[in-house]
Amino acid sequence: MVRQLSWALLACGCRMPGPIALPQEKMATEKPVTPTEEQLEILEYNFCKVNKHPDPTTLCLIAAETGLSEEQTLKWFKQRLAEWRKSEGLPSESGSVRD
């Protein structure tokens, strides 16, 4: 099963699961990408119905499905999570609710 998953990840151009970080220098030079309506539907579905905090493998698969890069997909999920937390009356940047 692990071997099949590894080949599937390689076939879709994804890296093996691990920590995902956005390089600071790349963020400044990268032009903002506005997802298409179809891409937004896929992203919203995964956010609302699947997982608000996708693991690296799931993030890779969502990126492959939408045609966005992993970095763009991660950035969208982070922004959407902050928006959702704000709508719920929670701090947008906090990882947990504190007393």
Side-chain angles (χ1 to χ4, degrees):
M1 177 68 177
V2 173
R3 182 171 282 160
Q4 289 174 334
L5 180 59
S6 297
W7 285 108
L9 290 173
L10 291 173
C12 76
C14 298
R15 297 185 301 260
M16 291 301 294
I20 297 175
L22 295 174
Q24 294 300 320
E25 66 277 359
K26 192 172 186 179
M27 287 177 61
T29 60
E30 209 173 82
K31 293 181 182 178
V33 174
T34 304
T36 65
E37 193 150 329
E38 184 178 325
Q39 290 169 326
L40 283 174
E41 286 179 22
I42 295 167
L43 292 166
E44 280 292 337
Y45 174 83
N46 281 283
F47 182 83
C48 295
K49 304 283 186 194
V50 179
N51 192 347
K52 290 177 179 37
H53 305 278
D55 59 77
T57 303
T58 304
L59 190 71
C60 175
L61 294 172
I62 295 168
E65 185 178 358
T66 59
L68 299 171
S69 70
E70 288 180 64
E71 290 80 14
Q72 292 166 330
T73 306
L74 177 62
K75 184 177 180 180
W76 185 89
F77 267 89
K78 284 184 175 184
Q79 290 173 339
R80 182 64 177 89
L81 183 61
E83 182 182 305
W84 176 81
R85 291 180 63 79
K86 186 176 179 183
S87 74
E88 295 292 313
L90 301 168
S92 62
E93 296 179 11
S94 178
S96 64
V97 178
R98 299 183 183 157
D99 294 331

